[in-house]
Amino acid sequence: MRATVADFCSAPWPVFTPPLTALRVDQADVLMLHWPEINGENARSLRLLQKAFDIGLARNIGVSNYTAPMMREAQSIVEAPLVTNQVEFHPLIDQSRLLDAAEETKIALSSYCSVARGEVFKHPVFAEIGARYGKTAAQTVLRWILQKGVSMNTMSTKPENIRANFEILDFALSPHDMKRIDAMNATNYRILKAGMLPWVPDWDR
C-alpha cells in the first residue's frame, strides 16, 4: 500500500528511525520525495522533508519526478537546498522545460532511465557518433547527458557495463554532435507517461 502524506503527518517522528537503523546509519546522505502527491498539493510533503533535514535525519534532501512548476513551488517552500530532482532523462524526450527550471531554481537534475531502457539502441545515430570517438552508443548517450549538465543514476549487474559507464570522462562530444543528438528529442519517447499510474504527473504543465 502506498503511504500518504496524512500517514506521515500523523506519525510520531520515531517511526522514521527504523529504516536508518536497518541501514546501520544515523543519517541518510540524500532523502528524496520519490513522487509528487497525486493531487499535486505537495506543500505538506515538502515541509516534512524540511523537518527531516532540520532534525538531522538527512544530510541532503531532494525530490523526484517533479515538473517544472513543482520545482518552482518546492523552492519557495523548502528552506534547505534541494540538491536534485531525479527524472527520466535521455535523448528521446525533450526535457528543456526541466533544464530551464533547474537553472532558475538551482535544483540540479539527475537522470534515471538514461538509455530509455534500451530504446536508444534502436536508433543508429548514437552508435554512428560513438564510433568516431571509439565509444559505444550507450557511452555516447551518457556523455550527452553529462554535457547537458545532468548527473546520472546508471545501474547494471555486468562488470563490463559498470566499467564502461565510468569511461565517459575521457572524451567530449562536439557542438555539432550535441545538436544532432538534441534533434532526437523529436522522437518524443517517454517511458513514464501521464495516466500510466495514478501518481504520474502531467509532464507538459
mmCIF file with all atom_site columns, all heavy atoms in Angstrom, residues 43-63:
data_model
loop_
_atom_site.group_PDB
_atom_site.id
_atom_site.type_symbol
_atom_site.label_atom_id
_atom_site.label_alt_id
_atom_site.label_comp_id
_atom_site.label_asym_id
_atom_site.label_entity_id
_atom_site.label_seq_id
_atom_site.pdbx_PDB_ins_code
_atom_site.Cartn_x
_atom_site.Cartn_y
_atom_site.Cartn_z
_atom_site.occupancy
_atom_site.B_iso_or_equiv
_atom_site.pdbx_formal_charge
_atom_site.auth_seq_id
_atom_site.auth_comp_id
_atom_site.auth_asym_id
_atom_site.auth_atom_id
_atom_site.pdbx_PDB_model_num
ATOM 1   N N   . ALA A 1 43 ? 2.848  20.771 -0.712 1.00 0.00 ? 43 ALA A N   1
ATOM 2   C CA  . ALA A 1 43 ? 3.402  21.613 0.350  1.00 0.00 ? 43 ALA A CA  1
ATOM 3   C C   . ALA A 1 43 ? 3.658  20.838 1.632  1.00 0.00 ? 43 ALA A C   1
ATOM 4   O O   . ALA A 1 43 ? 4.719  20.978 2.252  1.00 0.00 ? 43 ALA A O   1
ATOM 5   C CB  . ALA A 1 43 ? 2.468  22.793 0.621  1.00 0.00 ? 43 ALA A CB  1
ATOM 6   N N   . ARG A 1 44 ? 2.697  20.001 2.060  1.00 0.00 ? 44 ARG A N   1
ATOM 7   C CA  . ARG A 1 44 ? 2.883  19.285 3.324  1.00 0.00 ? 44 ARG A CA  1
ATOM 8   C C   . ARG A 1 44 ? 4.037  18.289 3.230  1.00 0.00 ? 44 ARG A C   1
ATOM 9   O O   . ARG A 1 44 ? 4.818  18.144 4.169  1.00 0.00 ? 44 ARG A O   1
ATOM 10  C CB  . ARG A 1 44 ? 1.595  18.576 3.727  1.00 0.00 ? 44 ARG A CB  1
ATOM 11  C CG  . ARG A 1 44 ? 0.493  19.541 4.194  1.00 0.00 ? 44 ARG A CG  1
ATOM 12  C CD  . ARG A 1 44 ? -0.606 18.794 4.922  1.00 0.00 ? 44 ARG A CD  1
ATOM 13  N NE  . ARG A 1 44 ? -1.280 17.829 4.068  1.00 0.00 ? 44 ARG A NE  1
ATOM 14  C CZ  . ARG A 1 44 ? -2.166 16.936 4.504  1.00 0.00 ? 44 ARG A CZ  1
ATOM 15  N NH1 . ARG A 1 44 ? -2.464 16.877 5.788  1.00 0.00 ? 44 ARG A NH1 1
ATOM 16  N NH2 . ARG A 1 44 ? -2.755 16.108 3.660  1.00 0.00 ? 44 ARG A NH2 1
ATOM 17  N N   . SER A 1 45 ? 4.147  17.600 2.094  1.00 0.00 ? 45 SER A N   1
ATOM 18  C CA  . SER A 1 45 ? 5.259  16.663 1.910  1.00 0.00 ? 45 SER A CA  1
ATOM 19  C C   . SER A 1 45 ? 6.588  17.390 1.983  1.00 0.00 ? 45 SER A C   1
ATOM 20  O O   . SER A 1 45 ? 7.550  16.911 2.595  1.00 0.00 ? 45 SER A O   1
ATOM 21  C CB  . SER A 1 45 ? 5.133  15.952 0.557  1.00 0.00 ? 45 SER A CB  1
ATOM 22  O OG  . SER A 1 45 ? 3.968  15.188 0.477  1.00 0.00 ? 45 SER A OG  1
ATOM 23  N N   . LEU A 1 46 ? 6.653  18.544 1.351  1.00 0.00 ? 46 LEU A N   1
ATOM 24  C CA  . LEU A 1 46 ? 7.894  19.305 1.320  1.00 0.00 ? 46 LEU A CA  1
ATOM 25  C C   . LEU A 1 46 ? 8.265  19.825 2.713  1.00 0.00 ? 46 LEU A C   1
ATOM 26  O O   . LEU A 1 46 ? 9.445  19.845 3.077  1.00 0.00 ? 46 LEU A O   1
ATOM 27  C CB  . LEU A 1 46 ? 7.767  20.463 0.333  1.00 0.00 ? 46 LEU A CB  1
ATOM 28  C CG  . LEU A 1 46 ? 7.700  20.056 -1.140 1.00 0.00 ? 46 LEU A CG  1
ATOM 29  C CD1 . LEU A 1 46 ? 7.190  21.203 -1.996 1.00 0.00 ? 46 LEU A CD1 1
ATOM 30  C CD2 . LEU A 1 46 ? 9.071  19.586 -1.636 1.00 0.00 ? 46 LEU A CD2 1
ATOM 31  N N   . ARG A 1 47 ? 7.264  20.205 3.498  1.00 0.00 ? 47 ARG A N   1
ATOM 32  C CA  . ARG A 1 47 ? 7.562  20.681 4.857  1.00 0.00 ? 47 ARG A CA  1
ATOM 33  C C   . ARG A 1 47 ? 8.079  19.543 5.733  1.00 0.00 ? 47 ARG A C   1
ATOM 34  O O   . ARG A 1 47 ? 8.939  19.739 6.594  1.00 0.00 ? 47 ARG A O   1
ATOM 35  C CB  . ARG A 1 47 ? 6.314  21.332 5.461  1.00 0.00 ? 47 ARG A CB  1
ATOM 36  C CG  . ARG A 1 47 ? 5.947  22.651 4.767  1.00 0.00 ? 47 ARG A CG  1
ATOM 37  C CD  . ARG A 1 47 ? 4.855  23.408 5.514  1.00 0.00 ? 47 ARG A CD  1
ATOM 38  N NE  . ARG A 1 47 ? 4.484  24.614 4.774  1.00 0.00 ? 47 ARG A NE  1
ATOM 39  C CZ  . ARG A 1 47 ? 3.357  24.755 4.075  1.00 0.00 ? 47 ARG A CZ  1
ATOM 40  N NH1 . ARG A 1 47 ? 2.474  23.758 4.024  1.00 0.00 ? 47 ARG A NH1 1
ATOM 41  N NH2 . ARG A 1 47 ? 3.103  25.871 3.424  1.00 0.00 ? 47 ARG A NH2 1
ATOM 42  N N   . LEU A 1 48 ? 7.545  18.329 5.518  1.00 0.00 ? 48 LEU A N   1
ATOM 43  C CA  . LEU A 1 48 ? 8.056  17.175 6.253  1.00 0.00 ? 48 LEU A CA  1
ATOM 44  C C   . LEU A 1 48 ? 9.480  16.845 5.814  1.00 0.00 ? 48 LEU A C   1
ATOM 45  O O   . LEU A 1 48 ? 10.312 16.442 6.631  1.00 0.00 ? 48 LEU A O   1
ATOM 46  C CB  . LEU A 1 48 ? 7.136  15.972 6.039  1.00 0.00 ? 48 LEU A CB  1
ATOM 47  C CG  . LEU A 1 48 ? 5.792  16.037 6.759  1.00 0.00 ? 48 LEU A CG  1
ATOM 48  C CD1 . LEU A 1 48 ? 4.878  14.915 6.295  1.00 0.00 ? 48 LEU A CD1 1
ATOM 49  C CD2 . LEU A 1 48 ? 5.989  15.972 8.267  1.00 0.00 ? 48 LEU A CD2 1
ATOM 50  N N   . LEU A 1 49 ? 9.759  17.015 4.543  1.00 0.00 ? 49 LEU A N   1
ATOM 51  C CA  . LEU A 1 49 ? 11.114 16.810 4.062  1.00 0.00 ? 49 LEU A CA  1
ATOM 52  C C   . LEU A 1 49 ? 12.065 17.801 4.731  1.00 0.00 ? 49 LEU A C   1
ATOM 53  O O   . LEU A 1 49 ? 13.168 17.443 5.160  1.00 0.00 ? 49 LEU A O   1
ATOM 54  C CB  . LEU A 1 49 ? 11.141 16.973 2.542  1.00 0.00 ? 49 LEU A CB  1
ATOM 55  C CG  . LEU A 1 49 ? 12.423 16.562 1.816  1.00 0.00 ? 49 LEU A CG  1
ATOM 56  C CD1 . LEU A 1 49 ? 12.653 15.058 1.930  1.00 0.00 ? 49 LEU A CD1 1
ATOM 57  C CD2 . LEU A 1 49 ? 12.358 16.969 0.349  1.00 0.00 ? 49 LEU A CD2 1
ATOM 58  N N   . GLN A 1 50 ? 11.633 19.040 4.820  1.00 0.00 ? 50 GLN A N   1
ATOM 59  C CA  . GLN A 1 50 ? 12.423 20.063 5.507  1.00 0.00 ? 50 GLN A CA  1
ATOM 60  C C   . GLN A 1 50 ? 12.642 19.676 6.973  1.00 0.00 ? 50 GLN A C   1
ATOM 61  O O   . GLN A 1 50 ? 13.749 19.827 7.504  1.00 0.00 ? 50 GLN A O   1
ATOM 62  C CB  . GLN A 1 50 ? 11.695 21.403 5.427  1.00 0.00 ? 50 GLN A CB  1
ATOM 63  C CG  . GLN A 1 50 ? 12.342 22.525 6.232  1.00 0.00 ? 50 GLN A CG  1
ATOM 64  C CD  . GLN A 1 50 ? 13.630 23.034 5.615  1.00 0.00 ? 50 GLN A CD  1
ATOM 65  O OE1 . GLN A 1 50 ? 13.632 23.415 4.443  1.00 0.00 ? 50 GLN A OE1 1
ATOM 66  N NE2 . GLN A 1 50 ? 14.711 23.040 6.377  1.00 0.00 ? 50 GLN A NE2 1
ATOM 67  N N   . LYS A 1 51 ? 11.603 19.130 7.614  1.00 0.00 ? 51 LYS A N   1
ATOM 68  C CA  . LYS A 1 51 ? 11.732 18.748 9.018  1.00 0.00 ? 51 LYS A CA  1
ATOM 69  C C   . LYS A 1 51 ? 12.745 17.622 9.178  1.00 0.00 ? 51 LYS A C   1
ATOM 70  O O   . LYS A 1 51 ? 13.541 17.625 10.135 1.00 0.00 ? 51 LYS A O   1
ATOM 71  C CB  . LYS A 1 51 ? 10.377 18.328 9.583  1.00 0.00 ? 51 LYS A CB  1
ATOM 72  C CG  . LYS A 1 51 ? 10.398 18.072 11.083 1.00 0.00 ? 51 LYS A CG  1
ATOM 73  C CD  . LYS A 1 51 ? 8.998  17.888 11.628 1.00 0.00 ? 51 LYS A CD  1
ATOM 74  C CE  . LYS A 1 51 ? 9.028  17.717 13.144 1.00 0.00 ? 51 LYS A CE  1
ATOM 75  N NZ  . LYS A 1 51 ? 7.659  17.557 13.715 1.00 0.00 ? 51 LYS A NZ  1
ATOM 76  N N   . ALA A 1 52 ? 12.726 16.655 8.264  1.00 0.00 ? 52 ALA A N   1
ATOM 77  C CA  . ALA A 1 52 ? 13.700 15.563 8.309  1.00 0.00 ? 52 ALA A CA  1
ATOM 78  C C   . ALA A 1 52 ? 15.120 16.104 8.233  1.00 0.00 ? 52 ALA A C   1
ATOM 79  O O   . ALA A 1 52 ? 16.027 15.615 8.908  1.00 0.00 ? 52 ALA A O   1
ATOM 80  C CB  . ALA A 1 52 ? 13.437 14.575 7.173  1.00 0.00 ? 52 ALA A CB  1
ATOM 81  N N   . PHE A 1 53 ? 15.307 17.130 7.416  1.00 0.00 ? 53 PHE A N   1
ATOM 82  C CA  . PHE A 1 53 ? 16.617 17.784 7.308  1.00 0.00 ? 53 PHE A CA  1
ATOM 83  C C   . PHE A 1 53 ? 16.954 18.523 8.601  1.00 0.00 ? 53 PHE A C   1
ATOM 84  O O   . PHE A 1 53 ? 18.064 18.407 9.138  1.00 0.00 ? 53 PHE A O   1
ATOM 85  C CB  . PHE A 1 53 ? 16.622 18.751 6.123  1.00 0.00 ? 53 PHE A CB  1
ATOM 86  C CG  . PHE A 1 53 ? 17.881 19.551 5.978  1.00 0.00 ? 53 PHE A CG  1
ATOM 87  C CD1 . PHE A 1 53 ? 18.984 19.025 5.320  1.00 0.00 ? 53 PHE A CD1 1
ATOM 88  C CD2 . PHE A 1 53 ? 17.965 20.838 6.505  1.00 0.00 ? 53 PHE A CD2 1
ATOM 89  C CE1 . PHE A 1 53 ? 20.145 19.770 5.185  1.00 0.00 ? 53 PHE A CE1 1
ATOM 90  C CE2 . PHE A 1 53 ? 19.128 21.585 6.373  1.00 0.00 ? 53 PHE A CE2 1
ATOM 91  C CZ  . PHE A 1 53 ? 20.228 21.051 5.716  1.00 0.00 ? 53 PHE A CZ  1
ATOM 92  N N   . ASP A 1 54 ? 15.988 19.251 9.131  1.00 0.00 ? 54 ASP A N   1
ATOM 93  C CA  . ASP A 1 54 ? 16.225 20.079 10.316 1.00 0.00 ? 54 ASP A CA  1
ATOM 94  C C   . ASP A 1 54 ? 16.627 19.256 11.529 1.00 0.00 ? 54 ASP A C   1
ATOM 95  O O   . ASP A 1 54 ? 17.470 19.686 12.333 1.00 0.00 ? 54 ASP A O   1
ATOM 96  C CB  . ASP A 1 54 ? 14.977 20.901 10.651 1.00 0.00 ? 54 ASP A CB  1
ATOM 97  C CG  . ASP A 1 54 ? 14.702 22.011 9.643  1.00 0.00 ? 54 ASP A CG  1
ATOM 98  O OD1 . ASP A 1 54 ? 15.635 22.370 8.894  1.00 0.00 ? 54 ASP A OD1 1
ATOM 99  O OD2 . ASP A 1 54 ? 13.555 22.501 9.603  1.00 0.00 ? 54 ASP A OD2 1
ATOM 100 N N   . ILE A 1 55 ? 16.034 18.073 11.693 1.00 0.00 ? 55 ILE A N   1
ATOM 101 C CA  . ILE A 1 55 ? 16.341 17.274 12.880 1.00 0.00 ? 55 ILE A CA  1
ATOM 102 C C   . ILE A 1 55 ? 17.483 16.294 12.630 1.00 0.00 ? 55 ILE A C   1
ATOM 103 O O   . ILE A 1 55 ? 17.798 15.476 13.486 1.00 0.00 ? 55 ILE A O   1
ATOM 104 C CB  . ILE A 1 55 ? 15.093 16.532 13.401 1.00 0.00 ? 55 ILE A CB  1
ATOM 105 C CG1 . ILE A 1 55 ? 14.621 15.468 12.412 1.00 0.00 ? 55 ILE A CG1 1
ATOM 106 C CG2 . ILE A 1 55 ? 13.989 17.508 13.742 1.00 0.00 ? 55 ILE A CG2 1
ATOM 107 C CD1 . ILE A 1 55 ? 13.452 14.638 12.936 1.00 0.00 ? 55 ILE A CD1 1
ATOM 108 N N   . GLY A 1 56 ? 18.087 16.390 11.457 1.00 0.00 ? 56 GLY A N   1
ATOM 109 C CA  . GLY A 1 56 ? 19.308 15.637 11.204 1.00 0.00 ? 56 GLY A CA  1
ATOM 110 C C   . GLY A 1 56 ? 19.146 14.234 10.673 1.00 0.00 ? 56 GLY A C   1
ATOM 111 O O   . GLY A 1 56 ? 20.109 13.458 10.667 1.00 0.00 ? 56 GLY A O   1
ATOM 112 N N   . LEU A 1 57 ? 17.947 13.866 10.205 1.00 0.00 ? 57 LEU A N   1
ATOM 113 C CA  . LEU A 1 57 ? 17.767 12.544 9.622  1.00 0.00 ? 57 LEU A CA  1
ATOM 114 C C   . LEU A 1 57 ? 18.407 12.432 8.245  1.00 0.00 ? 57 LEU A C   1
ATOM 115 O O   . LEU A 1 57 ? 18.692 11.333 7.775  1.00 0.00 ? 57 LEU A O   1
ATOM 116 C CB  . LEU A 1 57 ? 16.283 12.200 9.520  1.00 0.00 ? 57 LEU A CB  1
ATOM 117 C CG  . LEU A 1 57 ? 15.530 12.026 10.843 1.00 0.00 ? 57 LEU A CG  1
ATOM 118 C CD1 . LEU A 1 57 ? 14.074 11.684 10.581 1.00 0.00 ? 57 LEU A CD1 1
ATOM 119 C CD2 . LEU A 1 57 ? 16.186 10.951 11.707 1.00 0.00 ? 57 LEU A CD2 1
ATOM 120 N N   . ALA A 1 58 ? 18.606 13.560 7.586  1.00 0.00 ? 58 ALA A N   1
ATOM 121 C CA  . ALA A 1 58 ? 19.177 13.559 6.237  1.00 0.00 ? 58 ALA A CA  1
ATOM 122 C C   . ALA A 1 58 ? 20.206 14.673 6.094  1.00 0.00 ? 58 ALA A C   1
ATOM 123 O O   . ALA A 1 58 ? 19.964 15.798 6.539  1.00 0.00 ? 58 ALA A O   1
ATOM 124 C CB  . ALA A 1 58 ? 18.082 13.727 5.195  1.00 0.00 ? 58 ALA A CB  1
ATOM 125 N N   . ARG A 1 59 ? 21.324 14.333 5.488  1.00 0.00 ? 59 ARG A N   1
ATOM 126 C CA  . ARG A 1 59 ? 22.355 15.338 5.215  1.00 0.00 ? 59 ARG A CA  1
ATOM 127 C C   . ARG A 1 59 ? 21.931 16.247 4.068  1.00 0.00 ? 59 ARG A C   1
ATOM 128 O O   . ARG A 1 59 ? 22.246 17.440 4.046  1.00 0.00 ? 59 ARG A O   1
ATOM 129 C CB  . ARG A 1 59 ? 23.676 14.645 4.886  1.00 0.00 ? 59 ARG A CB  1
ATOM 130 C CG  . ARG A 1 59 ? 24.857 15.578 4.695  1.00 0.00 ? 59 ARG A CG  1
ATOM 131 C CD  . ARG A 1 59 ? 26.162 14.813 4.503  1.00 0.00 ? 59 ARG A CD  1
ATOM 132 N NE  . ARG A 1 59 ? 26.534 14.082 5.713  1.00 0.00 ? 59 ARG A NE  1
ATOM 133 C CZ  . ARG A 1 59 ? 26.547 12.749 5.818  1.00 0.00 ? 59 ARG A CZ  1
ATOM 134 N NH1 . ARG A 1 59 ? 26.186 12.000 4.790  1.00 0.00 ? 59 ARG A NH1 1
ATOM 135 N NH2 . ARG A 1 59 ? 26.907 12.160 6.937  1.00 0.00 ? 59 ARG A NH2 1
ATOM 136 N N   . ASN A 1 60 ? 21.240 15.670 3.084  1.00 0.00 ? 60 ASN A N   1
ATOM 137 C CA  . ASN A 1 60 ? 20.731 16.425 1.937  1.00 0.00 ? 60 ASN A CA  1
ATOM 138 C C   . ASN A 1 60 ? 19.318 15.955 1.634  1.00 0.00 ? 60 ASN A C   1
ATOM 139 O O   . ASN A 1 60 ? 18.942 14.826 1.964  1.00 0.00 ? 60 ASN A O   1
ATOM 140 C CB  . ASN A 1 60 ? 21.609 16.194 0.692  1.00 0.00 ? 60 ASN A CB  1
ATOM 141 C CG  . ASN A 1 60 ? 23.037 16.656 0.889  1.00 0.00 ? 60 ASN A CG  1
ATOM 142 O OD1 . ASN A 1 60 ? 23.315 17.846 0.876  1.00 0.00 ? 60 ASN A OD1 1
ATOM 143 N ND2 . ASN A 1 60 ? 23.942 15.708 1.094  1.00 0.00 ? 60 ASN A ND2 1
ATOM 144 N N   . ILE A 1 61 ? 18.544 16.814 0.981  1.00 0.00 ? 61 ILE A N   1
ATOM 145 C CA  . ILE A 1 61 ? 17.183 16.447 0.596  1.00 0.00 ? 61 ILE A CA  1
ATOM 146 C C   . ILE A 1 61 ? 16.952 16.802 -0.870 1.00 0.00 ? 61 ILE A C   1
ATOM 147 O O   . ILE A 1 61 ? 17.602 17.686 -1.428 1.00 0.00 ? 61 ILE A O   1
ATOM 148 C CB  . ILE A 1 61 ? 16.123 17.137 1.481  1.00 0.00 ? 61 ILE A CB  1
ATOM 149 C CG1 . ILE A 1 61 ? 16.313 18.661 1.498  1.00 0.00 ? 61 ILE A CG1 1
ATOM 150 C CG2 . ILE A 1 61 ? 16.158 16.567 2.894  1.00 0.00 ? 61 ILE A CG2 1
ATOM 151 C CD1 . ILE A 1 61 ? 15.243 19.402 2.287  1.00 0.00 ? 61 ILE A CD1 1
ATOM 152 N N   . GLY A 1 62 ? 16.010 16.086 -1.481 1.00 0.00 ? 62 GLY A N   1
ATOM 153 C CA  . GLY A 1 62 ? 15.696 16.341 -2.885 1.00 0.00 ? 62 GLY A CA  1
ATOM 154 C C   . GLY A 1 62 ? 14.328 15.797 -3.239 1.00 0.00 ? 62 GLY A C   1
ATOM 155 O O   . GLY A 1 62 ? 13.580 15.309 -2.375 1.00 0.00 ? 62 GLY A O   1
ATOM 156 N N   . VAL A 1 63 ? 13.991 15.883 -4.496 1.00 0.00 ? 63 VAL A N   1
ATOM 157 C CA  . VAL A 1 63 ? 12.707 15.409 -4.989 1.00 0.00 ? 63 VAL A CA  1
ATOM 158 C C   . VAL A 1 63 ? 12.935 14.558 -6.233 1.00 0.00 ? 63 VAL A C   1
ATOM 159 O O   . VAL A 1 63 ? 14.049 14.489 -6.760 1.00 0.00 ? 63 VAL A O   1
ATOM 160 C CB  . VAL A 1 63 ? 11.750 16.580 -5.319 1.00 0.00 ? 63 VAL A CB  1
ATOM 161 C CG1 . VAL A 1 63 ? 11.390 17.347 -4.047 1.00 0.00 ? 63 VAL A CG1 1
ATOM 162 C CG2 . VAL A 1 63 ? 12.374 17.522 -6.348 1.00 0.00 ? 63 VAL A CG2 1
#
